[in-house]
Amino acid sequence: MAALAALATQPSAIERLLVTKTRSDSGKYVVKLFLGGKPTEVTVDDWLPVLGDKPAFCCSKDESGELWPSLLEKAWVKAHGSCKIVMLSRFVCCPSC
């Protein structure tokens, strides 16, 4: 979350991560993540999980409807295998890391 908050202050950095630059009629978006220090393109769709009537992933605070926070988080989850793995990593500290 802190990384996404930092990105929000750097529009040019966000632009570099979004391979798909405009709204996609197909609902598919490609974003660039750096995994193991290597740029990796990850394709995600615009189907975003919700809990009740609230987004389960991070989202824009205002009414702008910006998708980039949700798309980047969804790509991060996809790259790491599952929501469960990502959620556990938020709460579990690895002593050897």
Side-chain angles (χ1 to χ4, degrees), residues 13-82:
I14 297 166
E15 285 293 317
R16 289 192 301 272
L17 295 177
L18 300 175
V19 176
T20 305
K21 303 286 186 195
T22 60
R23 184 182 171 279
S24 169
D25 289 333
S26 69
K28 298 216 186 276
Y29 293 87
V30 179
V31 300
K32 185 187 329 176
L33 301 177
F34 288 82
L35 304 172
K38 297 178 184 171
T40 305
E41 290 187 357
V42 180
T43 302
V44 295
D45 60 33
D46 60 1
W47 286 68
L48 301 171
V50 293
L51 297 171
D53 63 346
K54 306 272 189 222
F57 286 162
C58 63
C59 61
S60 180
K61 265 177 96 171
D62 58 24
E63 299 295 321
S64 67
E66 290 180 309
L67 280 177
W68 72 264
S70 299
L71 295 175
L72 286 176
E73 188 169 16
K74 187 171 184 177
W76 184 256
V77 166
K78 181 177 180 179
H80 288 85
S82 76

